[in-house]
Amino acid sequence: FPGDDAREFWVRAEDRNRETAVCYDKLGMAEYAAMEAFVRYHY
């Protein structure tokens, strides 16, 4: 859900992927923007 963000979906996705790549790089992992990250949801 975009909320107040008027950007296209693919633009938001690229930004999220770029931010995730930077976080992985800071952890010493590969800085790879196409890497998928998964979040575990506890119900």
Side-chain angles (χ1 to χ4, degrees):
F1 181 73
D4 295 331
D5 196 340
R7 297 176 298 162
E8 294 287 335
F9 173 80
W10 65 270
V11 175
R12 294 190 316 269
E14 279 186 342
D15 286 344
R16 279 194 312 271
N17 290 346
R18 190 175 302 110
E19 291 170 10
T20 301
V22 170
C23 290
Y24 273 62
D25 184 45
K26 288 179 181 178
L27 291 171
M29 301 169 111
E31 184 178 355
Y32 181 55
M35 183 184 300
E36 293 184 21
F38 298 92
V39 177
R40 178 177 291 201
Y41 288 95
H42 298 279
Y43 297 99

